[in-house]
Amino acid sequence: MSTELEASAQAKVTAETLTINEIFYSIQGESTFAGQPCVFVRLTGCDLRCTYCDTEYAFYEGKRRSLDDIIAEVATHSCRLLEVTGGEPLLQKRVHPLMSRLADDGYTVLIETSGAHDIGPIDPRVHRIMDLKTPSSGECARNRMENLPLLGPRDEVKFVIGSEEDYAWAKAQVLAGVPGWADRVNAILFSPVFGKFTPLELATRVMADALPRVRMQLQMHKLIWEPNQRGV
Ligand code: SF4
């Protein structure tokens, strides 16, 4: 093969691959899909460093895999709910054809994203679960506020709350989003940082304020398995 052909073949392989940290079958632990069996595709890499991050192993560890190979592994599980997560899955552009192909195949596709990148190019069939990073995450400045007008009735916005200040900030964001994104989305999720803000503290505030569309959630997978267990 000529050098030119080799280079072109290599470029094609690179274009049709993603760096994958892990693919596993578990219970969806957050969002309105919580409690349902779900296949997870975790992509490698994240450009944020949230203080409470529990997937630091996904920052660098991973293997390049073709979209065909990923889809074939997903299909070994008899489950039609699939979540693309990370790390930050939107850092790899080939995530878009992956999600579109899975939606074409009849999967219900979710994506969990930090909210620091443009959600506009995501296939409209995909349910977007987008964080708004609270102050104690250390990454509040990275929230891409231009995403808010793009949110629609399939989408869910998640606040991970680790302090009183975080709760007050999240409440202010929700109130500022009405009318607007906060009454367009499917749900607004308030989740306590495991070990930092107790479920009782959060429940007390959620009940007192009864903010529109806000629902409290716990990370179900951390209650079922060990808090730092991988592949669940
Ligand atoms: S965005 Fe997610 S993966 Fe990235 S540092 Fe924050 S919690 Fe960890």
Side-chain angles (χ1 to χ4, degrees):
M1 197 188 289
S2 75
T3 310
E4 205 171 293
L5 280 174
E6 277 171 10
S8 139
Q10 184 56 42
K12 188 163 186 296
V13 168
T14 305
E16 293 177 349
T17 60
L18 283 167
T19 306
I20 298 294
N21 176 265
E22 57 183 354
I23 298 175
F24 59 96
Y25 179 51
S26 185
I27 294 284
Q28 217 285 343
E30 301 179 88
S31 84
T32 60
F33 293 86
Q36 294 188 45
C38 182
V39 180
F40 290 82
V41 177
R42 189 185 304 287
L43 274 65
T44 300
C46 186
D47 54 337
L48 270 57
R49 292 294 180 266
C50 304
T51 52
Y52 51 74
C53 184
D54 55 5
T55 51
E56 290 167 328
Y57 60 88
F59 291 168
Y60 306 109
E61 295 173 21
K63 284 191 184 146
R64 276 210 162 268
R65 297 180 63 175
S66 70
L67 299 196
D68 288 344
D69 182 36
I70 297 164
I71 290 167
E73 179 167 345
V74 165
T76 63
H77 302 282
S78 57
C79 175
R80 307 303 287 172
L81 178 65
L82 179 132
E83 178 171 312
V84 176
T85 186
E88 172 47 61
L90 293 179
L91 288 178
Q92 298 187 54
K93 297 303 168 216
R94 298 301 293 179
V95 73
H96 295 294
L98 174 70
M99 293 191 291
S100 293
R101 283 180 59 181
L102 289 164
D104 290 346
D105 290 348
Y107 288 91
T108 299
V109 181
L110 321 178
I111 183 169
E112 258 203 86
T113 173
S114 66
H117 298 279
D118 186 5
I119 62 169
I122 296 173
D123 189 305
R125 293 169 293 179
V126 173
H127 301 256
R128 301 176 294 198
I129 303 165
M130 189 190 89
D131 280 6
L132 274 182
K133 296 294 182 189
T134 52
S136 79
S137 72
E139 295 288 10
C140 199
R142 296 294 307 276
N143 287 319
R144 186 178 187 278
M145 301 313 256
E146 299 93 321
N147 281 333
L148 294 177
L150 306 178
L151 292 166
R154 262 172 197 271
D155 301 324
E156 305 187 9
V157 174
K158 185 173 72 174
F159 294 86
V160 179
I161 294 170
S163 66
E164 292 283 357
E165 184 196 3
D166 282 358
Y167 182 84
W169 186 86
K171 177 179 170 181
Q173 297 301 314
V174 172
L175 292 175
V178 181
W181 68 267
D183 47 23
R184 271 200 318 275
V185 294
N186 183 34
I188 300 170
L189 312 163
F190 277 17
S191 182
V193 177
F194 199 80
K196 282 211 172 153
F197 202 62
T198 69
L200 182 58
E201 286 174 300
L202 182 55
T204 305
R205 283 153 189 79
V206 167
M207 288 165 64
D209 289 333
L211 297 167
R213 291 180 188 264
V214 168
R215 62 166 77 190
M216 177 179 163
Q217 62 169 15
L218 301 176
Q219 292 174 297
M220 194 179 285
H221 49 291
K222 290 195 178 173
L223 301 173
I224 301 171
W225 290 282
E226 291 297 319
N228 293 320
Q229 193 169 331
R230 289 167 66 155
V232 294

Short mmCIF file of all heavy atoms in Angstrom, two decimals, residues 184-221:
data_model
loop_
_atom_site.label_atom_id
_atom_site.label_comp_id
_atom_site.label_asym_id
_atom_site.label_seq_id
_atom_site.Cartn_x
_atom_site.Cartn_y
_atom_site.Cartn_z
N ARG A 184 -39.65 24.14 30.65
CA ARG A 184 -39.69 23.35 29.40
C ARG A 184 -39.18 21.93 29.61
O ARG A 184 -39.60 21.01 28.92
CB ARG A 184 -38.81 24.01 28.34
CG ARG A 184 -39.51 25.04 27.48
CD ARG A 184 -38.74 25.28 26.19
NE ARG A 184 -37.30 25.36 26.35
CZ ARG A 184 -36.64 26.47 26.69
NH1 ARG A 184 -37.30 27.59 26.91
NH2 ARG A 184 -35.33 26.46 26.81
N VAL A 185 -38.22 21.74 30.54
CA VAL A 185 -37.55 20.44 30.64
C VAL A 185 -38.45 19.39 31.28
O VAL A 185 -39.44 19.70 31.94
CB VAL A 185 -36.23 20.54 31.43
CG1 VAL A 185 -35.22 21.39 30.68
CG2 VAL A 185 -36.46 21.08 32.83
N ASN A 186 -38.05 18.14 31.08
CA ASN A 186 -38.81 17.02 31.65
C ASN A 186 -38.70 16.99 33.17
O ASN A 186 -39.66 16.67 33.86
CB ASN A 186 -38.28 15.71 31.04
CG ASN A 186 -39.04 14.51 31.52
OD1 ASN A 186 -40.25 14.58 31.76
ND2 ASN A 186 -38.36 13.39 31.67
N ALA A 187 -37.51 17.31 33.70
CA ALA A 187 -37.32 17.27 35.15
C ALA A 187 -36.09 18.09 35.53
O ALA A 187 -35.17 18.26 34.74
CB ALA A 187 -37.14 15.83 35.63
N ILE A 188 -36.11 18.56 36.76
CA ILE A 188 -34.94 19.21 37.37
C ILE A 188 -34.57 18.35 38.57
O ILE A 188 -35.39 18.12 39.46
CB ILE A 188 -35.26 20.65 37.79
CG1 ILE A 188 -35.70 21.47 36.57
CG2 ILE A 188 -34.06 21.29 38.47
CD1 ILE A 188 -36.27 22.85 36.91
N LEU A 189 -33.34 17.86 38.56
CA LEU A 189 -32.91 16.87 39.55
C LEU A 189 -31.99 17.52 40.57
O LEU A 189 -30.99 18.15 40.18
CB LEU A 189 -32.19 15.72 38.83
CG LEU A 189 -32.90 15.16 37.59
CD1 LEU A 189 -31.95 14.36 36.73
CD2 LEU A 189 -34.09 14.32 38.01
N PHE A 190 -32.31 17.37 41.83
CA PHE A 190 -31.43 17.82 42.91
C PHE A 190 -30.87 16.59 43.59
O PHE A 190 -31.63 15.75 44.09
CB PHE A 190 -32.21 18.66 43.94
CG PHE A 190 -32.40 20.11 43.58
CD1 PHE A 190 -32.24 20.58 42.29
CD2 PHE A 190 -32.78 21.02 44.56
CE1 PHE A 190 -32.42 21.92 41.97
CE2 PHE A 190 -32.97 22.37 44.26
CZ PHE A 190 -32.80 22.82 42.97
N SER A 191 -29.55 16.48 43.61
CA SER A 191 -28.91 15.28 44.12
C SER A 191 -27.86 15.67 45.16
O SER A 191 -27.04 16.55 44.89
CB SER A 191 -28.25 14.58 42.92
OG SER A 191 -27.64 13.40 43.30
N PRO A 192 -27.85 15.07 46.35
CA PRO A 192 -26.84 15.46 47.34
C PRO A 192 -25.49 14.83 47.01
O PRO A 192 -25.42 13.73 46.48
CB PRO A 192 -27.39 14.87 48.65
CG PRO A 192 -28.23 13.71 48.23
CD PRO A 192 -28.76 14.02 46.86
N VAL A 193 -24.41 15.56 47.33
CA VAL A 193 -23.07 14.97 47.19
C VAL A 193 -22.93 13.91 48.26
O VAL A 193 -23.09 14.20 49.46
CB VAL A 193 -21.96 16.02 47.35
CG1 VAL A 193 -20.58 15.35 47.26
CG2 VAL A 193 -22.08 17.10 46.30
N PHE A 194 -22.64 12.70 47.81
CA PHE A 194 -22.53 11.56 48.72
C PHE A 194 -21.52 11.87 49.82
O PHE A 194 -20.38 12.24 49.55
CB PHE A 194 -22.09 10.34 47.90
CG PHE A 194 -22.34 9.03 48.57
CD1 PHE A 194 -23.61 8.46 48.54
CD2 PHE A 194 -21.32 8.37 49.21
CE1 PHE A 194 -23.84 7.25 49.15
CE2 PHE A 194 -21.55 7.14 49.82
CZ PHE A 194 -22.81 6.59 49.79
N GLY A 195 -21.97 11.81 51.09
CA GLY A 195 -21.06 12.02 52.22
C GLY A 195 -20.82 13.47 52.59
O GLY A 195 -20.09 13.75 53.53
N LYS A 196 -21.44 14.42 51.85
CA LYS A 196 -21.20 15.85 52.17
C LYS A 196 -22.46 16.59 52.58
O LYS A 196 -22.42 17.49 53.41
CB LYS A 196 -20.60 16.56 50.96
CG LYS A 196 -19.14 16.29 50.77
CD LYS A 196 -18.44 17.46 50.13
CE LYS A 196 -16.95 17.26 50.12
NZ LYS A 196 -16.32 17.97 49.03
N PHE A 197 -23.56 16.26 51.94
CA PHE A 197 -24.84 16.91 52.24
C PHE A 197 -25.82 15.77 52.39
O PHE A 197 -26.01 14.98 51.47
CB PHE A 197 -25.23 17.82 51.06
CG PHE A 197 -26.18 18.92 51.38
CD1 PHE A 197 -25.86 19.92 52.29
CD2 PHE A 197 -27.43 18.98 50.77
CE1 PHE A 197 -26.74 20.96 52.57
CE2 PHE A 197 -28.32 20.01 51.03
CZ PHE A 197 -27.97 21.00 51.94
N THR A 198 -26.43 15.64 53.56
CA THR A 198 -27.19 14.41 53.80
C THR A 198 -28.52 14.44 53.03
O THR A 198 -29.08 15.52 52.76
CB THR A 198 -27.50 14.22 55.30
OG1 THR A 198 -28.44 15.24 55.69
CG2 THR A 198 -26.25 14.28 56.15
N PRO A 199 -29.03 13.27 52.70
CA PRO A 199 -30.35 13.20 52.06
C PRO A 199 -31.41 13.93 52.88
O PRO A 199 -32.29 14.60 52.33
CB PRO A 199 -30.63 11.70 51.97
CG PRO A 199 -29.27 11.08 51.89
CD PRO A 199 -28.40 11.93 52.78
N LEU A 200 -31.32 13.85 54.22
CA LEU A 200 -32.31 14.52 55.06
C LEU A 200 -32.21 16.04 54.93
O LEU A 200 -33.23 16.73 54.82
CB LEU A 200 -32.11 14.10 56.52
CG LEU A 200 -33.11 14.70 57.51
CD1 LEU A 200 -34.55 14.35 57.14
CD2 LEU A 200 -32.80 14.23 58.93
N GLU A 201 -30.97 16.56 54.88
CA GLU A 201 -30.81 18.01 54.70
C GLU A 201 -31.43 18.47 53.39
O GLU A 201 -32.12 19.48 53.33
CB GLU A 201 -29.30 18.38 54.71
CG GLU A 201 -28.65 18.33 56.07
CD GLU A 201 -27.14 18.56 55.97
OE1 GLU A 201 -26.46 17.76 55.29
OE2 GLU A 201 -26.66 19.51 56.58
N LEU A 202 -31.16 17.71 52.34
CA LEU A 202 -31.70 18.10 51.03
C LEU A 202 -33.22 17.95 51.00
O LEU A 202 -33.93 18.84 50.52
CB LEU A 202 -31.05 17.27 49.92
CG LEU A 202 -31.49 17.62 48.51
CD1 LEU A 202 -31.27 19.11 48.21
CD2 LEU A 202 -30.75 16.78 47.47
N ALA A 203 -33.72 16.83 51.53
CA ALA A 203 -35.17 16.60 51.53
C ALA A 203 -35.90 17.73 52.26
O ALA A 203 -36.95 18.21 51.80
CB ALA A 203 -35.48 15.26 52.19
N THR A 204 -35.34 18.17 53.36
CA THR A 204 -35.98 19.23 54.15
C THR A 204 -36.14 20.50 53.32
O THR A 204 -37.20 21.14 53.31
CB THR A 204 -35.12 19.51 55.41
OG1 THR A 204 -34.94 18.29 56.11
CG2 THR A 204 -35.78 20.52 56.33
N ARG A 205 -35.09 20.83 52.57
CA ARG A 205 -35.14 22.06 51.77
C ARG A 205 -36.05 21.90 50.55
O ARG A 205 -36.79 22.83 50.19
CB ARG A 205 -33.73 22.45 51.34
CG ARG A 205 -32.97 23.10 52.48
CD ARG A 205 -31.48 22.93 52.38
NE ARG A 205 -30.82 23.38 53.59
CZ ARG A 205 -30.75 22.69 54.73
NH1 ARG A 205 -31.33 21.50 54.81
NH2 ARG A 205 -30.13 23.17 55.78
N VAL A 206 -35.98 20.74 49.92
CA VAL A 206 -36.83 20.52 48.73
C VAL A 206 -38.30 20.59 49.13
O VAL A 206 -39.13 21.18 48.43
CB VAL A 206 -36.47 19.16 48.08
CG1 VAL A 206 -37.53 18.73 47.07
CG2 VAL A 206 -35.10 19.25 47.40
N MET A 207 -38.65 20.01 50.28
CA MET A 207 -40.04 20.05 50.74
C MET A 207 -40.47 21.47 51.10
O MET A 207 -41.58 21.89 50.78
CB MET A 207 -40.20 19.13 51.96
CG MET A 207 -40.12 17.67 51.61
SD MET A 207 -39.86 16.64 53.07
CE MET A 207 -41.35 16.93 53.98
N ALA A 208 -39.58 22.21 51.74
CA ALA A 208 -39.94 23.56 52.17
C ALA A 208 -40.20 24.48 50.97
O ALA A 208 -41.12 25.29 50.98
CB ALA A 208 -38.82 24.14 53.05
N ASP A 209 -39.38 24.34 49.92
CA ASP A 209 -39.48 25.26 48.78
C ASP A 209 -40.44 24.78 47.70
O ASP A 209 -41.00 25.61 46.99
CB ASP A 209 -38.09 25.48 48.17
CG ASP A 209 -37.20 26.32 49.08
OD1 ASP A 209 -37.74 27.11 49.87
OD2 ASP A 209 -35.97 26.16 49.01
N ALA A 210 -40.57 23.45 47.55
CA ALA A 210 -41.46 22.88 46.53
C ALA A 210 -41.32 23.61 45.20
O ALA A 210 -42.31 24.08 44.61
CB ALA A 210 -42.91 22.89 47.02
N LEU A 211 -40.11 23.71 44.70
CA LEU A 211 -39.85 24.42 43.45
C LEU A 211 -40.45 23.65 42.28
O LEU A 211 -40.45 22.41 42.28
CB LEU A 211 -38.34 24.58 43.24
CG LEU A 211 -37.61 25.41 44.28
CD1 LEU A 211 -36.10 25.23 44.14
CD2 LEU A 211 -38.00 26.88 44.15
N PRO A 212 -40.94 24.38 41.27
CA PRO A 212 -41.57 23.68 40.14
C PRO A 212 -40.59 22.73 39.43
O PRO A 212 -39.46 23.11 39.16
CB PRO A 212 -41.99 24.82 39.20
CG PRO A 212 -41.21 26.02 39.64
CD PRO A 212 -40.92 25.84 41.09
N ARG A 213 -41.05 21.52 39.19
CA ARG A 213 -40.32 20.47 38.45
C ARG A 213 -39.12 19.89 39.18
O ARG A 213 -38.45 18.99 38.67
CB ARG A 213 -39.85 20.95 37.07
CG ARG A 213 -41.00 21.17 36.15
CD ARG A 213 -40.56 21.64 34.79
NE ARG A 213 -41.74 22.00 34.06
CZ ARG A 213 -42.35 21.20 33.20
NH1 ARG A 213 -41.89 20.01 32.95
NH2 ARG A 213 -43.43 21.59 32.59
N VAL A 214 -38.81 20.41 40.34
CA VAL A 214 -37.65 19.89 41.07
C VAL A 214 -38.01 18.59 41.76
O VAL A 214 -39.04 18.49 42.42
CB VAL A 214 -37.13 20.92 42.09
CG1 VAL A 214 -36.13 20.27 43.05
CG2 VAL A 214 -36.48 22.08 41.37
N ARG A 215 -37.18 17.60 41.56
CA ARG A 215 -37.32 16.35 42.31
C ARG A 215 -35.97 15.97 42.89
O ARG A 215 -34.94 16.16 42.26
CB ARG A 215 -37.88 15.23 41.43
CG ARG A 215 -37.01 14.85 40.27
CD ARG A 215 -37.44 13.54 39.66
NE ARG A 215 -38.62 13.68 38.83
CZ ARG A 215 -39.31 12.65 38.35
NH1 ARG A 215 -38.95 11.43 38.64
NH2 ARG A 215 -40.36 12.84 37.57
N MET A 216 -36.03 15.47 44.10
CA MET A 216 -34.81 15.03 44.75
C MET A 216 -34.50 13.61 44.28
O MET A 216 -35.40 12.83 44.00
CB MET A 216 -35.03 15.03 46.26
CG MET A 216 -33.87 14.50 47.03
SD MET A 216 -34.18 14.57 48.79
CE MET A 216 -32.89 13.45 49.33
N GLN A 217 -33.23 13.30 44.18
CA GLN A 217 -32.85 11.93 43.85
C GLN A 217 -31.59 11.55 44.60
O GLN A 217 -30.79 12.40 44.97
CB GLN A 217 -32.63 11.78 42.35
CG GLN A 217 -31.50 12.66 41.84
CD GLN A 217 -31.09 12.33 40.42
OE1 GLN A 217 -31.81 11.64 39.70
NE2 GLN A 217 -29.94 12.80 40.02
N LEU A 218 -31.45 10.27 44.83
CA LEU A 218 -30.23 9.72 45.42
C LEU A 218 -29.56 8.89 44.34
O LEU A 218 -30.24 8.38 43.45
CB LEU A 218 -30.56 8.86 46.64
CG LEU A 218 -31.32 9.59 47.76
CD1 LEU A 218 -31.68 8.61 48.88
CD2 LEU A 218 -30.48 10.74 48.32
N GLN A 219 -28.25 8.74 44.42
CA GLN A 219 -27.54 7.94 43.42
C GLN A 219 -27.76 6.46 43.76
O GLN A 219 -27.05 5.89 44.58
CB GLN A 219 -26.06 8.30 43.41
CG GLN A 219 -25.80 9.71 42.91
CD GLN A 219 -24.35 10.08 43.05
OE1 GLN A 219 -23.82 10.15 44.15
NE2 GLN A 219 -23.69 10.29 41.93
N MET A 220 -28.76 5.89 43.10
CA MET A 220 -29.22 4.56 43.45
C MET A 220 -28.11 3.50 43.38
O MET A 220 -28.02 2.61 44.22
CB MET A 220 -30.37 4.18 42.52
CG MET A 220 -31.16 2.98 42.99
SD MET A 220 -32.49 2.61 41.85
CE MET A 220 -33.65 3.90 42.24
N HIS A 221 -27.24 3.62 42.37
CA HIS A 221 -26.18 2.61 42.21
C HIS A 221 -25.22 2.62 43.40
O HIS A 221 -24.65 1.58 43.74
CB HIS A 221 -25.41 2.83 40.90
CG HIS A 221 -24.97 4.24 40.67
ND1 HIS A 221 -25.84 5.26 40.42
CD2 HIS A 221 -23.74 4.79 40.68
CE1 HIS A 221 -25.17 6.39 40.27
NE2 HIS A 221 -23.89 6.13 40.43
#
